[in-house]
Amino acid sequence: MACGVPVVGANAGGLPEVVDDGSGILVEPENVDALVDAILKIVSDQNTRKVMGEHARQRALSPFSSGECIRPLRADLLPGDP
């Protein structure tokens, strides 16, 4: 996502928390037909790929950036450190 590439993956684990409708396509686990359709949609439609890729990059750089993910841990480990 941080490289501007949309995600195609399974609607399982932590992916639904990270990937939204604009940054990629999630399909139900073990649904091979839906996975193929999602991949073909991304590969065959340059505009969709570009728009989703841009959204994916912005999404990766906001609440899921390394700085944002580390901030709560740093606050717990180093109280009083900005």
Side-chain angles (χ1 to χ4, degrees):
M1 289 175 63
C3 292
V5 177
V7 174
V8 175
N11 189 11
L15 280 179
E17 294 177 30
V18 179
V19 180
D20 62 12
D21 287 337
S23 61
I25 302 171
L26 297 179
V27 300
E28 291 306 309
E30 300 183 27
N31 187 337
V32 176
D33 292 333
L35 182 61
V36 169
D37 290 344
I39 292 170
L40 290 175
K41 179 177 180 177
I42 297 293
V43 170
S44 65
D45 187 339
Q46 182 179 5
N47 187 56
T48 297
R49 188 171 56 248
K50 181 180 177 189
V51 170
M52 282 187 156
E54 290 171 1
H55 184 78
R57 179 161 171 73
Q58 291 305 313
R59 184 126 170 97
L61 295 177
S62 58
F64 302 105
S65 69
S66 59
E68 290 302 316
C69 291
I70 291 172
R71 190 178 321 277
L73 297 172
R74 185 179 176 106
D76 287 345
L77 296 173
L78 304 169
D81 188 34

